[in-house]
Amino acid sequence: MPWHATGTLTALPATAHLDLVAAPVAAALASLDETLAAQVGVTPIDATLADTAEFCARYGVAPEVSANCVIIRGRRGGEERFAAAVVLATTRADVNGVIRRRLDARTASFAPMDEAVALTHMEYGGITPIGLPATWPVLIDAAVAASPEVVIGGGVRASKIFLPGVVLAALPGAEVIEGLARLVE
């Protein structure tokens, strides 16, 4: 499948290059339906340029096709609940509104970096919705799900994944939510 949102990069079929992604991402990609997996591309990048703004500027990828995955920790009483939220880089996740209510939590916030890394077995700055713990909901903004192609992390800072939003919406635990994100002002 040719990927088009790659800027100056060339994406390769992800299932043939599982060495470029984190172990949980590789396992999840290997278990995807063949039709879905065939739509996923991966490319190596300079790990120092993994953050969205630097990545987009260096490789000519539009921020409008870049999606960020953030790990949210919700709390109610003594119980903690985790979720991933996937939003376009030009937006911000509605953590204290939509996500907090979806988690049925009294409070919700971004999980601390060390905790997010330990729970996902991925590198900070490369955390991706593919390969997350099976018990977590993967909340995907409707704009991401409707995108013909988005770029996300590869579970490590040294790679990026290209895929249609419909593939993200088909991930185990995925929920497409209208209004999950708000435009950055």
Side-chain angles (χ1 to χ4, degrees):
M1 168 174 182
W3 294 274
H4 304 287
T6 57
T8 61
L9 297 166
T10 300
L12 308 164
T15 54
H17 298 277
L18 295 176
D19 58 309
L20 294 176
V21 298
V25 178
L29 286 171
S31 69
L32 269 183
D33 171 86
E34 278 184 38
T35 305
L36 294 175
Q39 298 177 63
V40 182
V42 66
T43 189
I45 64 162
D46 179 336
T48 65
L49 300 171
D51 293 334
T52 304
E54 292 85 2
F55 167 77
C56 290
R58 169 60 179 87
Y59 295 110
V61 174
E64 296 79 22
V65 298
S66 297
N68 292 325
C69 178
V70 294
I71 305 303
I72 308 298
R73 176 178 60 191
R75 292 185 174 163
R76 178 174 289 282
E79 186 180 333
E80 289 186 332
R81 300 172 179 109
F82 290 90
V86 184
V87 300
L88 292 175
T90 54
T91 66
R92 294 229 164 107
D94 184 2
V95 175
N96 288 309
V98 174
I99 297 172
R100 182 184 58 76
R101 286 189 300 274
R102 165 53 189 85
L103 291 177
D104 189 29
R106 184 169 175 84
T107 63
S109 60
F110 296 107
M113 177 180 62
D114 293 347
E115 187 173 31
V117 168
L119 292 172
T120 63
H121 304 286
M122 297 181 201
E123 293 178 6
Y124 193 76
I127 294 175
T128 189
I130 302 170
L132 291 173
T135 58
W136 291 9
V138 178
L139 311 176
I140 301 170
D141 186 65
V144 173
S147 296
E149 187 174 327
V150 292
V151 57
I152 58 175
V156 294
R157 292 183 62 84
S159 72
K160 292 291 185 179
I161 291 173
F162 297 87
L163 72 173
V166 295
V167 174
L168 290 174
L171 290 174
E175 299 174 28
V176 176
I177 300 176
E178 191 70 46
L180 181 69
R182 297 177 183 199
L183 288 175
V184 175
E185 297 176 23

